[in-house]
């Protein structure tokens, strides 16, 4: 071999093609929160906000459904 020869070929590793985006592993995501203490006041406040939002959404859906039901009724002539 002469000193001007090309570099040794680098082995090609097979790359697994992902068909769709995949979320990171749960353990990796939860590791960020591992050292944190649970803040019960904030957790309770967040849960109350979620419940309130869910109740508003349910009420709005019920209102829409009632309006649709009323609109579908045909007025009866005498």
């Amino acid at each position: 071999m002469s000193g001007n020869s090309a570099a040794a070929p680098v082995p090609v590793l097979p790359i697994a093609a992902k068909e769709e985006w995949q979320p990171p592993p749960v353990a990796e995501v939860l590791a960020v929160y591992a050292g944190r203490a649970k803040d019960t006041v904030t957790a309770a406040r967040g849960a109350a906000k979620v419940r309130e939002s869910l109740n508003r959404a349910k009420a709005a859906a019920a209102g829409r459904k009632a309006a649709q039901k009323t609109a579908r009724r045909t007025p009866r002539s005498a």
Side-chain angles (χ1 to χ4, degrees):
M1 285 184 116
S2 65
N4 294 353
S5 66
V10 177
V12 178
L13 298 175
I15 299 174
K18 287 186 176 181
E19 293 181 11
E20 295 181 15
W21 179 83
Q22 295 177 352
V26 174
E28 186 178 309
V29 174
L30 294 180
V32 177
Y33 303 100
R36 296 187 183 182
K38 183 177 176 184
D39 185 359
T40 55
V41 174
T42 304
R45 189 168 46 237
K49 285 184 179 182
V50 170
R51 277 193 303 274
E52 183 181 330
S53 175
L54 185 60
N55 289 338
R56 277 196 314 267
K58 284 181 180 179
R64 283 192 304 271
K65 188 173 180 180
Q68 288 175 350
K69 189 175 181 180
T70 303
R72 278 195 301 263
R73 287 191 193 142
T74 55
R76 302 197 179 201
S77 59

